[in-house]
């Protein structure tokens, strides 16, 4: 099991220099209480690092406005919930599910297109889900992992 907030803070700290260099503000939102997810910390860290790196790349693709990534932690009666949203150009509305296919990248030429595929497989292996949500601006991904 993993404490969601601790893993998210570790990922943000790990990527801090890259975020700062790219002029991206990363904001964390969520309760002060611990949220225990039924997944090992290393697997959760891999998912969070991938979502954060993707969001940072997307946020730098915009030339107007603030470059921001917002990571929200929450839970319901059954699941730990992590949402990662960015201010980038957004996911193609015509095929949002395609991003979870192997070798499909939202940034062709800069990524292998495996991060979301692997992340979804890890989430599903822990009994959870990873999906793209409709967003007014930018992209938004939601991870749900059963509570420990």
């Amino acid at each position: 099991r993993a404490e969601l907030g601790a893993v998210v803070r570790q990922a943000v700290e790990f990527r801090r220099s890259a975020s700062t260099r790219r002029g991206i503000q990363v904001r964390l939102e969520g309760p002060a209480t611990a949220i225990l997810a039924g997944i090992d910390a290393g697997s959760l860290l891999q998912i969070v690092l991938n979502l954060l790196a993707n969001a940072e790349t997307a946020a730098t693709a915009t030339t107007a406005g603030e470059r921001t990534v917002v990571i929200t932690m929450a839970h319901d009666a059954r699941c730990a919930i992590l949402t990662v949203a960015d201010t980038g150009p957004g996911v193609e509305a015509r095929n949002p599910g395609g991003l979870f296919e192997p070798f499909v990248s939202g940034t062709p030429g800069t990524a292998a297109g495996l991060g979301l595929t692997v992340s979804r497989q890890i989430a599903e292996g822990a009994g959870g889900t990873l999906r793209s949500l409709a967003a007014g601006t930018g992209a938004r991904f939601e991870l749900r992992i059963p509570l420990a």
Side-chain angles (χ1 to χ4, degrees):
R1 68 185 193 165
E3 201 284 297
L4 184 61
V7 172
V8 168
R9 286 187 296 278
Q10 182 182 6
V12 169
E13 185 59 33
F14 183 78
R15 297 220 29 102
R16 183 173 310 284
S17 66
S19 301
T20 302
R21 186 174 61 251
R22 296 166 119 180
I24 298 168
Q25 177 188 8
V26 178
R27 280 197 339 250
L28 301 180
E29 299 178 353
T33 57
I35 300 171
L36 296 178
I39 186 172
D40 70 272
S43 295
L44 181 57
L45 181 61
Q46 185 174 354
I47 296 171
V48 176
L49 283 170
N50 178 66
L51 292 174
L52 182 54
N54 287 354
E56 289 171 356
T57 299
T60 59
T62 186
T63 55
E66 194 175 285
R67 293 178 172 181
T68 305
V69 174
V70 179
I71 302 173
T72 306
M73 297 163 281
H75 65 88
D76 61 18
R78 295 180 303 147
C79 290
I81 306 165
L82 176 76
T83 305
V84 179
D86 64 63
T87 56
V91 175
E92 290 183 294
R94 63 184 179 273
N95 191 18
L99 289 178
F100 293 99
E101 296 300 318
F103 309 111
V104 173
S105 174
T107 52
T110 62
L114 292 172
L116 288 175
T117 302
V118 170
S119 293
R120 179 179 262 181
Q121 289 173 348
I122 293 169
E124 290 173 349
T129 59
L130 176 60
R131 63 188 181 134
S132 172
L133 300 175
T137 304
R140 192 166 58 140
F141 288 86
E142 179 189 75
L143 172 68
R144 289 178 162 265
I145 298 290
L147 294 170

